[in-house]
Amino acid sequence: TGYPTRWEDQTKYRGGWVVDGQRQKSLRLRLQGKWGTLTNIFYNPYLPTLDDYFEPWTYDYQNLITAPLADEQPTARAISMVAGKYMDTIEAGPNWDDDLGGSQVYANNDPNLDGASDEEMRQ
C-alpha cells in the first residue's frame, strides 16, 4: 500500500524521529546520526528499492503504428525502461492503489493501524 510500497512503515524504512534518554530527553532521527550518514552516504540499506517503487515502463507504440490491417486490434506491450525488455506483468506503479483510499482493503494493510482494535478499525 502506498508509494513506495508500505511507505508509512517506519520500522522498515526507519523514518521519523525518536526520543532518546530517560532524563535528558533528546530528539534524533530514527534512521541514523551524523556518523551513520557518513558511512551510508553511497548505500543505505533502509531506503526504498526499485521494487518498492515500481519498474518504469513504456509501451511498444511502434507495433500500433506499423501493424498490418487485421480483424484483431494490435496491442502495445509494456517494455521495461530499465532492462529494455518486454514485461509480462506489471505489479505496481504510482497511484496504483488510489482507488482503495479509505477502503477496508487499504486499512487492513496500513502499518499505522497494526495495533488498532476491531472497534477502532470500524470507525
Side-chain angles (χ1 to χ4, degrees):
T1 56
Y3 178 76
T5 304
R6 295 185 61 86
W7 70 274
E8 289 182 330
D9 189 348
Q10 300 304 322
T11 56
K12 179 177 181 179
Y13 295 122
R14 293 193 178 185
W17 301 82
V18 292
V19 177
D20 266 350
Q22 295 292 330
R23 292 184 182 183
Q24 291 278 54
K25 295 187 178 193
S26 63
L27 194 62
R28 69 170 181 83
L29 285 171
R30 182 186 310 262
L31 179 61
Q32 60 203 16
K34 292 177 188 175
W35 295 110
T37 302
L38 192 58
T39 57
N40 291 337
I41 196 164
F42 296 110
Y43 171 73
N44 191 329
Y46 302 107
L47 293 180
T49 64
L50 182 63
D51 291 337
D52 294 321
Y53 284 95
F54 69 98
E55 186 170 353
W57 73 89
T58 187
Y59 292 99
D60 183 6
Y61 295 110
Q62 197 62 30
N63 186 44
L64 296 177
I65 297 167
T66 61
L69 289 177
D71 291 335
E72 297 85 25
Q73 286 228 321
T75 59
R77 290 182 60 194
I79 300 174
S80 167
M81 293 182 74
V82 175
K85 299 178 181 177
Y86 286 111
M87 297 174 66
D88 292 329
T89 58
I90 298 173
E91 296 179 9
N95 303 327
W96 191 264
D97 54 7
D98 273 4
D99 290 342
L100 296 177
S103 76
Q104 195 63 33
V105 174
Y106 190 80
N108 287 337
N109 294 318
D110 189 342
N112 292 320
L113 300 174
D114 281 347
S117 67
D118 290 338
E119 182 178 334
E120 291 170 327
M121 290 291 285
R122 282 192 297 272
Q123 296 176 2

